[in-house]
């Protein structure tokens, strides 16, 4: 499956991402939320947890996109 790690999504912002993870509490909370949703999606896609519906997986993917958009906006401020 495709890698949706934030530094993979925004390689040009890797240094800023790493700095914000250490020094910005607001960013850190958003980042952890994104990583949790992303990890859950990966578990479902990898077949490690197959007790979900297509609708639930779609909702999680939409949530991941919104979180990624929010993180990108925050990084670009």
């Amino acid at each position: 499956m495709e890698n949706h790690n934030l530094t993979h999504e925004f390689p040009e912002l890797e240094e800023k991402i790493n700095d914000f993870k250490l020094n910005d509490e607001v960013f850190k909370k958003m980042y952890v939320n994104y990583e949790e949703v992303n990890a859950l999606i990966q578990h479902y896609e990898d077949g490690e947890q197959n007790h979900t519906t297509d609708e639930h997986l779609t909702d999680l993917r939409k949530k991941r996109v919104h979180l990624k958009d929010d993180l990108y906006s925050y990084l670009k401020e």
Side-chain angles (χ1 to χ4, degrees):
M1 294 294 157
E2 190 174 334
N3 184 349
H4 290 279
N5 178 288
L6 200 60
T7 54
H8 184 266
E9 295 285 333
F10 308 122
E12 73 282 6
L13 297 172
E14 183 173 1
E15 188 175 315
K16 195 169 189 178
I17 290 167
N18 291 332
D19 180 51
F20 276 27
K21 284 192 311 186
L22 295 173
N23 300 308
D24 188 306
E25 289 301 316
V26 172
F27 179 84
K28 192 184 310 185
K29 286 178 184 176
M30 291 170 31
Y31 177 83
V32 166
N33 193 6
Y34 175 84
E35 289 295 310
E36 288 173 346
V37 171
N38 190 43
L40 187 55
I41 291 168
Q42 283 184 302
H43 285 299
Y44 286 132
E45 289 178 342
D46 292 344
E48 294 174 29
Q49 293 182 358
N50 54 10
H51 301 345
T52 191
T53 63
D54 287 341
E55 182 179 335
H56 181 243
L57 191 53
T58 298
D59 289 343
L60 287 172
R61 288 179 179 139
K62 287 177 184 177
K63 183 175 182 176
R64 178 175 61 192
V65 168
H66 290 294
L67 290 168
K68 184 170 61 172
D69 288 346
D70 290 346
L71 284 160
Y72 182 78
S73 295
Y74 194 88
L75 287 163
K76 296 305 274 185
E77 286 182 355

